[in-house]
Amino acid sequence: ALPPAAGGVVPNASWWSDRMVELPGGMWCPKPPPFASAKPALPLVKAGEEKPRLTTELAKKHASADNMLIATYVNYNRLDFAFTLVRHLIALQQPHYLVGALDDEAGRGLQARGVPTFFMSSGLTTKDYGWGTKNFRELGLHKVNLVLELAKTGVDCLTIDADAFILRDPFPYFRKLPEAEVLTSSDHLVATNGYTDDGLESSSGFSSAFNIGYIFIRASALEFVQQWKEACFANKDAWDQVLFASVLRRGGGGGVDNHRLKPLFKKAGGGQVKAGVLPVSLFASGHTHFVSRMAHLMRSTPYMVHTTFQYGGAQGKRHRLREGMMWEDAPEYYSGPDFLTYELDLPRALVYPNGGTVGSDGTLPFDKRASVEQHFALVHHQLAQVRNGLALAKATGRILILPRLVCGLDRWWAPHSGIIPGSAARLPLLDCPADHVLDVERMGKVEPLLREHSFLCNPR
C-alpha cells in the first residue's frame, strides 16, 4: 500500500488504487490502471481501392446482437487518436465499432491498419480544425449528418469524438437503461450524486451544457435527430452542441424518473424523448478526470475520458492522455535513446503557504488556498528546474522526463477565484497537467524533447 507522506514531504494526488507494484526493471510505482496495459499493435494490411460508404448493411454488420454500435470520425491529422481508441476497444474485446474517414487520406490510413471504416469525403482540411474556426463549424454539420444517417440505419449508436477515449465497455451501462433514448456526456463539473453513486446525474445535471463528444442515441429518437440537423443547417454559424441542447429541450417538461431520465423533446405523434446525463465522474471531461480526479476518488475506472478543458491544442490532448497512461505510442517511444530525469525540489512551504489542515487527499480547505502571487512563486520554482533540465538534456543528447507538477490554483479561460466556478476541484492540484504550465502547442512536436511525468511507471 502507498505509505503516508513523511513530514515535510508533499503527498501524491489521489489515485485509483492504494497499492504499489514492482514493474520490470525493479521500479516501484502506484498500481497502473487497467487500461494502461500493453496492447498489441494494429495489423499492417494492404488498403483496398474501394471507398465504402455508410449503409444500413454496414452498420448492421458491425452492430451487436442487441443492435448497438460505436461510431467515431477522424481526419488524416488525427489518425493517431483513432488508432489509440481502436486499440482500447480491442483490449476491451469490444468489436462493435466503425470509424468514419473525413478525407480519403484518413480512409486509406484506417484501411491499412485493418480498422473497419467508411468514407465521408467531407472536403474539410486534413490538418487540425481549431476550435471555433470555420472548419470547426463545418465539421459540426458533418457530425450531425452522420448521427442522422446512423439513426436512419436503425442501430442504437454511441457517437463519439476521436479524443473521447473508451476505457470501459459502455454497453452494459446502456443496457441497464432500456428506456433511455438519448444519453449525453456533460460539461457539468460536480458529481450531483457524490462519489458513491454511478447512476445518471440528478435533475441539476441538466442545467449545464451537454457535451456531444459522447452521445448515445437510439434509433427511436430519429425525429429529434432530424430536427437537430435541420436546426444546424438553418443556422450554420451556430454551434451544433448548443443547437443539440435547444432542440432536445423542445416540449420538455416534468422531473426525472427513478432512473433519472427526463422527458424532453416532444414527438409529433405523442410521447417524449427520455434523456439522461451520464455521470461526469465516470463519463469524464478533461477537468473532472484530470483536475478534480473524480474517478480516482471513487477508486474506479472511468468508462470514458474526453480531453476537453485543456490548453494545448491537439498536442496538449496527446500529452494529457499520456500523463493519464491512456495513449498508445509506438515501442520506440518507450525504448528511445537516452533519458534524463531529476528529483524535483518541491518545498512544502510553497505548496501550503497559508498552513491549514491537509486532508487525506493532500488538499486544503478552500479558504487556505494560495494567492495568485503564491501560486506563481510555486510554479516558477518548478519551471526554473524544468528549464535547467531541458538545457542539460539538450547538452547531453537526452530526452527529459518531466517531474509531476503541482499548481496552487486551477487554470481557466476567464477570471476565477482559484477554481473554475461551480467545479469540484480541490486545491492545490497535486498532479497538475503539464498543459496548465507549459505551452506544449507552441512547442510543436514534443516527442524529441520530453516525456510525461508518468513515463517510468507506464507498463508499456
Side-chain angles (χ1 to χ4, degrees), residues 3 42 79 191 228 280 387:
L42 295 176
L79 272 178
W228 175 32
V280 299
R387 176 200 61 198

Side-chain angles (χ1 to χ4, degrees), residues 263-312:
L264 290 178
F265 179 85
K266 189 173 183 179
K267 301 178 182 180
Q272 292 175 283
V273 168
K274 282 195 170 184
V277 178
L278 293 163
V280 299
S281 55
L282 299 177
F283 296 82
S285 69
H287 194 276
T288 60
H289 185 76
F290 293 105
V291 178
S292 294
R293 306 185 68 81
M294 291 184 181
H296 290 293
L297 291 168
M298 295 175 74
R299 298 298 179 92
S300 185
T301 300
Y303 286 92
M304 178 278 292
V305 173
H306 189 186
T307 49
T308 54
F309 292 93
Q310 64 83 38
Y311 307 93

Side-chain angles (χ1 to χ4, degrees), residues 85-103:
L85 172 61
V86 167
R87 289 174 73 178
H88 279 290
L89 290 172
I90 292 172
L92 292 169
Q93 299 182 338
Q94 172 50 270
H96 304 296
Y97 62 89
L98 286 169
V99 180
L102 288 163
D103 51 75

Side-chain angles (χ1 to χ4, degrees), residues 167 230 247 271 275 304 410 433:
L167 307 176
E230 292 171 1
V247 174
M304 178 278 292
D410 198 0

Side-chain angles (χ1 to χ4, degrees), residues 101-158:
L102 288 163
D103 51 75
D104 289 357
E105 293 92 335
R108 296 306 182 206
L110 291 164
Q111 289 177 327
R113 303 312 295 265
V115 177
T117 188
F118 57 91
F119 284 65
M120 297 172 67
S121 303
S122 68
L124 297 176
T125 179
T126 60
K127 299 179 181 180
D128 212 9
Y129 297 108
W131 194 92
T133 63
K134 183 175 183 290
N135 276 317
F136 179 84
R137 301 293 188 196
E138 290 182 355
L139 176 62
L141 299 178
H142 287 280
K143 177 175 182 174
V144 66
N145 190 65
L146 171 61
V147 176
L148 178 61
E149 293 305 310
L150 286 163
K152 286 180 177 179
T153 70
V155 298
D156 300 332
C157 191
L158 170 62

Side-chain angles (χ1 to χ4, degrees), residues 381 407 419 460:
H381 182 74
C407 296
I419 61 174
R460 298 174 181 86

